[in-house]
Amino acid sequence: QVQLVESGGGLVQAGGSLRLSCAVSGLTFSSRTMAWFRQAPGKEREIVARAGWSGDIYYTDSAKGRFTISRDNAKNTVYLQMNSLKPEDTAIYYCGSTILRYGLRNAAQSYDYWGQGTQVTVSS
């Protein structure tokens, strides 16, 4: 049974930090691309950061310089350290997993497994 379990969301003031975790089971974690997406009310799910199986990293422009994605293959866990948070970062954050190693890995449709989501709320 595949499970992706996120934790670490919460309410934080602007300028604060949060660290999200996503623990994965039932998959060969080390061979899969892992990513963090977010979805704000009334908006589509969008990618925030991606960590490929080979160590390649991608950040969306809004995350560059503030967020850091990392993965621990020994613990089957992917993390998202978020610093200098802004009110516009408020959303439900999801971790996703895809077998794709190249190609359209920034599209939500490319991901076949998702966590349940964790709410991040940044107050101004």
Side-chain angles (χ1 to χ4, degrees):
Q1 181 182 0
V2 176
Q3 285 191 311
L4 284 71
V5 181
E6 298 113 335
S7 60
L11 173 64
V12 65
Q13 288 188 333
S17 298
L18 286 172
R19 188 192 195 208
L20 306 183
S21 300
C22 175
V24 178
S25 59
L27 293 173
T28 306
F29 181 83
S30 61
S31 66
R32 298 181 69 91
T33 293
M34 299 299 301
W36 287 96
F37 285 74
R38 67 187 181 187
Q39 189 166 17
K43 295 189 176 181
E44 293 187 354
R45 192 171 297 190
E46 63 177 4
I47 194 165
V48 176
R50 184 189 74 222
W53 66 279
S54 63
D56 60 296
I57 300 290
Y58 167 85
Y59 296 103
T60 192
D61 286 347
S62 63
K64 287 178 183 176
R66 299 189 300 127
F67 296 0
T68 302
I69 189 171
S70 60
R71 60 188 295 164
D72 185 336
N73 288 344
K75 295 182 178 180
N76 287 2
T77 301
V78 61
Y79 305 96
L80 185 68
Q81 177 66 45
M82 303 187 294
N83 299 329
S84 302
L85 282 161
K86 305 174 182 179
E88 50 264 43
D89 294 318
T90 295
I92 299 174
Y93 284 69
Y94 297 90
C95 69
S97 176
T98 178
I99 195 64
L100 291 180
R101 297 185 174 187
Y102 307 100
L104 299 176
R105 295 181 295 163
N106 290 350
Q109 301 93 306
S110 296
Y111 288 73
D112 48 358
Y113 294 105
W114 293 95
Q116 81 284 358
T118 186
Q119 177 70 47
V120 171
T121 302
V122 184
S123 63
S124 56

